[in-house]
Amino acid sequence: MKQTTILLFILFTCSLAQAQTILKGRVISATDSLPLPGASIRIPGSKTGLSTAADGSFSITINEAYVLHVSYLGYQSREVNLRLQPDNPLLILLQENENRLSEVVVSTGYQSLPKERATGSFVQVDNELLNRRVSTDVLSRMEDVVPGLVFNRQGDSRISIRGQSTISANAEPLIVLDNFPYEGDINSINPNDIESITVLKDAAAASIWGARAGNGVIVINTKKGGYKRPLKVAVNSSVNIGARPDLFYEPKISSSDYIAMEQLLFSRGFYKAAETSTSNTPLSPVVELLIAARDGTMPAAEADARIAALKQEDVRLDFGNHFYRESMNQQHALNLSGGSERQHYYVSLGYDRNLSSLVRNDQNRFTLNASNTYRFAKDRLELNTGIQYTENRSTSNNPGMNGIRFSDISGAPLYPYARLADASGNALVINHDYRASFLQEANQDGLLNWEYSPLQELYNEAHTSSSTDYLLNGGLS
């Protein structure tokens, strides 16, 4: 009886040892083979469950025939139904849930969080939304797609997020590029290199970026390569051609009405002070003709004939023919990305050329963006390096119709019947800053020619500005 009891105990212990076995394994990402710490592992129908360690490893006691349910935030859940192989640690690969990732991840420039964990008010602009509009600058692509982002057509601050927070200090929002504050011009960033933009709109951003976040924060993340990805080459080229501006769209007083008003004011002595001024205040051609007819230096019939001819002129015609043109914006970009098990890269070249609708105004930009990421020490160490180079060159020789004035001293606008060129296209002189008689006397006395010809000045000007930006990034994690 005693021997039978001992035999039964041994058989029960052996069967229990065969039924209960410790399984070891590891959960990693199928995309880049990185470990997934905190992945949930449980046995359906039981209370047994655990989470993976920092390196994605786990150890669980299970039966010989088993089913494991594995899940992780942002990845597709998976059920593993296999026969036990205790000598070979189990390797579980999870696929990314792309649809879920695209809608829940929020970047604050300091960290990336699921949408339900992010605090404050923010707006996300992904790559697809950013590419709805074709333009060579970032701000134009953000216009009309970011609620709360106000574009100021006048004033020092081009954009504002939280309104005017101060009277005289800088009201521009903080720009964060690849997790670092960016002090350069946002339009120097090539929009083809941008993966996503997050606009932080409320005071919660101040807990991350301090006082500068009081005007709002624009977080820009550029494109990167990926591990175990083949070489990908992307070419983007676009040409936008705009129509010549319609200078007659905005209603303005006609030359005939303008001259009629000048004749009325002259008859009431309005120009008497300017006529006798010691500073030689400029007078329009019509007023000069009225003075000549009054003083008898020109027959009244000839003065009337010239005034009648000036009533048929419109300076907008000369501006449209000689100062404006069709605009053309060109954008060309070449991107290369890819990676191996230990390294991934992204390289892009960009060239933009914008021809303004104003003749002799243009802008050229060349950009280079290169980033590399390396993994060492059995995936425990990651090194990030990057460089961005931008070279801008712009010319601004044409002030436009509103930039050419009758008097730069007083700011008086140009009279509407001015002629800038004759029928053959030769440049003509206009009354500007000083009376015509004073300029003629100064020239006769041996001084240089002070006459002003806007069309000639257009091709004499050489206003060119250039800038070069270097941005170096490095990180070790």
Side-chain angles (χ1 to χ4, degrees):
M1 183 65 180
K2 185 177 181 179
Q3 293 177 349
T4 303
T5 303
I6 293 174
L7 181 60
L8 291 174
F9 178 76
I10 294 174
L11 292 175
F12 175 77
T13 303
C14 293
S15 63
L16 183 63
Q18 291 179 356
Q20 300 291 331
T21 305
I22 297 177
L23 174 68
K24 295 183 178 181
R26 194 162 176 254
V27 180
I28 64 174
S29 171
T31 303
D32 50 19
S33 300
L34 290 177
L36 301 178
S40 175
I41 299 178
R42 61 182 180 85
I43 298 176
S46 70
K47 297 182 179 180
T48 304
L50 51 84
S51 299
T52 58
D55 59 352
S57 62
F58 66 92
S59 177
I60 188 172
T61 302
I62 56 174
N63 297 321
E64 182 177 355
Y66 62 92
V67 174
L68 289 182
H69 182 85
V70 185
S71 61
Y72 189 73
L73 180 64
Y75 287 77
Q76 300 177 10
S77 300
R78 179 182 175 185
E79 288 193 349
V80 181
N81 189 353
L82 297 173
R83 286 283 177 179
L84 181 61
Q85 298 179 357
D87 296 334
N88 297 325
L90 186 63
L91 185 64
I92 302 176
L93 283 74
L94 296 184
Q95 299 286 343
E96 290 185 358
N97 189 343
E98 297 181 355
N99 293 332
R100 188 176 182 184
L101 280 176
S102 63
E103 62 185 17
V104 302
V105 177
V106 177
S107 176
T108 66
Y110 183 76
Q111 60 182 346
S112 296
L113 296 172
K115 185 176 181 179
E116 59 271 12
R117 289 179 55 195
T119 60
S121 176
F122 57 86
V123 177
Q124 284 184 285
V125 182
D126 57 15
N127 189 261
E128 180 180 358
L129 186 59
L130 195 66
N131 290 328
R132 281 188 180 181
R133 176 177 294 183
V134 179
S135 66
T136 57
D137 63 289
V138 178
L139 292 180
S140 296
R141 299 197 181 195
M142 295 175 62
E143 189 172 9
D144 300 329
V145 298
V146 179
L149 183 61
V150 179
F151 286 78
N152 304 316
R153 303 304 179 188
Q154 297 179 349
D156 297 332
S157 300
R158 295 169 297 177
I159 55 176
S160 60
I161 296 175
R162 302 186 61 200
Q164 188 72 18
S165 60
T166 182
I167 297 177
S168 59
N170 182 14
E172 292 278 348
L174 174 65
I175 308 298
V176 177
L177 178 64
D178 287 338
N179 305 330
F180 284 93
Y182 178 72
E183 301 296 341
D185 186 359
I186 188 174
N187 287 326
S188 296
I189 303 173
N190 192 336
N192 290 303
D193 292 334
I194 296 177
E195 181 64 30
S196 64
I197 296 177
T198 304
V199 180
L200 310 179
K201 301 193 295 181
D202 66 354
S207 63
I208 304 173
W209 296 106
R212 279 294 306 275
N215 297 328
V217 183
I218 299 178
V219 180
I220 300 176
N221 293 319
T222 60
K223 296 178 181 178
K224 299 291 187 294
Y227 294 110
K228 295 183 179 180
R229 294 183 182 178
L231 173 64
K232 179 181 178 180
V233 180
V235 179
N236 181 17
S237 181
S238 64
V239 178
N240 278 355
I241 299 177
R244 185 177 303 205
D246 182 8
L247 303 182
F248 291 86
Y249 178 79
E250 181 182 0
K252 291 188 176 183
I253 187 172
S254 65
S255 297
S256 179
D257 292 341
Y258 190 92
I259 292 175
M261 181 58 65
E262 285 187 315
Q263 290 174 324
L264 176 63
L265 293 175
F266 182 82
S267 65
R268 297 183 178 182
F270 178 79
Y271 299 103
K272 197 65 177 180
E275 183 183 354
T276 58
S277 172
T278 57
S279 59
N280 295 288
T281 303
L283 296 174
S284 69
V286 167
V287 176
E288 293 283 9
L289 290 172
L290 293 174
I291 293 174
R294 182 201 63 191
D295 296 342
T297 59
M298 177 183 294
E302 182 181 351
D304 292 340
R306 291 189 180 186
I307 292 175
L310 291 175
K311 289 182 178 180
Q312 308 303 318
E313 302 291 342
D314 195 320
V315 71
R316 290 176 290 183
L317 293 173
D318 285 346
F319 272 116
N321 293 331
H322 302 285
F323 282 76
Y324 289 87
R325 63 187 174 188
E326 291 80 10
S327 63
M328 183 172 64
N329 296 339
Q330 302 180 53
Q331 187 174 42
H332 312 285
L334 172 65
N335 304 332
L336 296 90
S337 61
S340 60
E341 293 184 359
R342 301 294 177 187
Q343 180 256 354
H344 66 74
Y345 59 89
Y346 175 84
V347 180
S348 72
L349 294 173
Y351 175 72
D352 304 315
R353 177 173 173 79
N354 294 344
L355 297 181
S356 169
S357 58
L358 294 171
V359 175
R360 298 205 70 213
N361 286 5
D362 59 72
Q363 180 183 12
N364 295 273
R365 183 181 66 189
F366 173 77
T367 59
L368 169 65
N369 185 9
S371 63
N372 278 280
T373 302
Y374 307 89
R375 293 197 306 200
F376 305 97
K378 298 181 180 179
D379 301 341
R380 291 186 175 90
L381 193 64
E382 189 174 70
L383 174 66
N384 303 306
T385 62
I387 179 174
Q388 294 187 33
Y389 171 82
T390 304
E391 182 177 343
N392 280 299
R393 185 178 184 275
S394 61
T395 59
S396 180
N397 301 313
N398 190 341
M401 184 173 67
N402 295 326
I404 298 177
R405 314 191 73 82
F406 177 41
S407 173
D408 292 333
I409 301 174
S410 63
L414 185 63
Y415 43 92
Y417 52 86
R419 292 200 61 190
L420 307 180
D422 59 17
S424 302
N426 300 316
L428 296 178
V429 174
I430 66 172
N431 293 17
H432 180 74
D433 281 349
Y434 299 99
R435 290 192 64 177
S437 58
F438 171 74
L439 298 182
Q440 294 175 0
E441 293 174 0
N443 194 14
Q444 293 173 359
D445 292 340
L447 297 179
L448 295 178
N449 187 355
W450 291 1
E451 293 180 334
Y452 179 63
S453 172
L455 184 57
Q456 185 176 354
E457 287 295 322
L458 174 64
Y459 292 95
N460 288 341
E461 297 282 3
H463 295 165
T464 302
S465 62
S466 60
S467 64
T468 303
D469 294 341
Y470 299 90
L471 182 62
L472 303 177
N473 278 339
L476 189 64
S477 59

